[in-house]
Amino acid sequence: MEKTLVLSQTQKNTLLDHAKKNPLIESCALLLGKIDLNTYKVKDIYLTENIENSPVNFTISNEELLAAYQEAEKRGLDIIGIFHSHPHWEAIPSQTDKKFMRVNPVIWIIYSNEKDQMRGFILESDIERVLIKIDEI
């Protein structure tokens, strides 16, 4: 059954602004929320810094990861997704993304700065598309 990620227009704008603030490097963020069957409902966006400062890779520091997990736990939420941008490429998982999707089995939202396009993916037995639904909460 198809999975759906639900976020508000405000949350989407926050992610796009983050990606456009420094369009030459991959931006990254964590999505905090709840999962109800096949619906992933974003409750908050946790913006992070790409410590690689790279146009083709991103890494979130251990300190920021720990802080995000602590914030989620404090609020009774889960890390349900990872957002990152592709400054000069399509919104599809790269080979590196595919490798890390195995380690982080959450929804991956990829934004293409070049094509102004946002897509969602999850790794099950294979990489599957996730529907992104904008819903004012």
Side-chain angles (χ1 to χ4, degrees), residues 10-114:
T10 302
Q11 291 166 336
K12 180 181 178 185
N13 292 345
T14 298
L15 292 171
L16 297 186
D17 290 347
H18 188 52
K20 292 173 183 176
K21 187 170 40 176
N22 195 344
L24 301 180
I25 67 163
E26 287 195 3
S27 62
C28 44
L30 298 170
L31 310 178
L32 283 57
K34 285 286 187 189
I35 303 168
D36 181 21
L37 295 173
N38 288 308
T39 302
Y40 292 64
K41 183 102 170 156
V42 176
K43 300 290 186 184
D44 204 359
I45 306 288
Y46 195 92
L47 299 177
T48 58
E49 179 187 347
N50 177 357
I51 61 172
E52 286 191 52
N53 208 26
S54 165
V56 294
N57 289 310
F58 76 94
T59 299
I60 300 170
S61 73
N62 289 336
E63 293 79 16
E64 279 192 306
L65 284 172
L66 181 61
Y69 275 97
Q70 288 173 335
E71 178 67 20
E73 185 177 339
K74 183 172 74 176
R75 297 175 56 196
L77 301 173
D78 298 304
I79 304 290
I80 62 169
I82 296 172
F83 166 86
H84 77 285
S85 63
H86 285 170
H88 310 291
W89 204 49
E90 292 183 69
I92 57 173
S94 67
Q95 287 306 115
T96 303
D97 294 339
K98 291 175 185 176
K99 181 173 90 175
F100 285 105
M101 288 173 92
R102 286 181 186 75
V103 182
N104 299 288
V106 296
I107 290 181
W108 283 58
I109 302 299
I110 303 172
Y111 174 72
S112 168
N113 291 64
E114 190 172 88

Side-chain angles (χ1 to χ4, degrees), residues 98 101-103 105-106 121-128:
K98 291 175 185 176
M101 288 173 92
R102 286 181 186 75
V103 182
V106 296
F121 302 89
I122 192 163
L123 178 63
E124 303 267 289
S125 55
D126 200 4
I127 292 179
E128 298 176 13

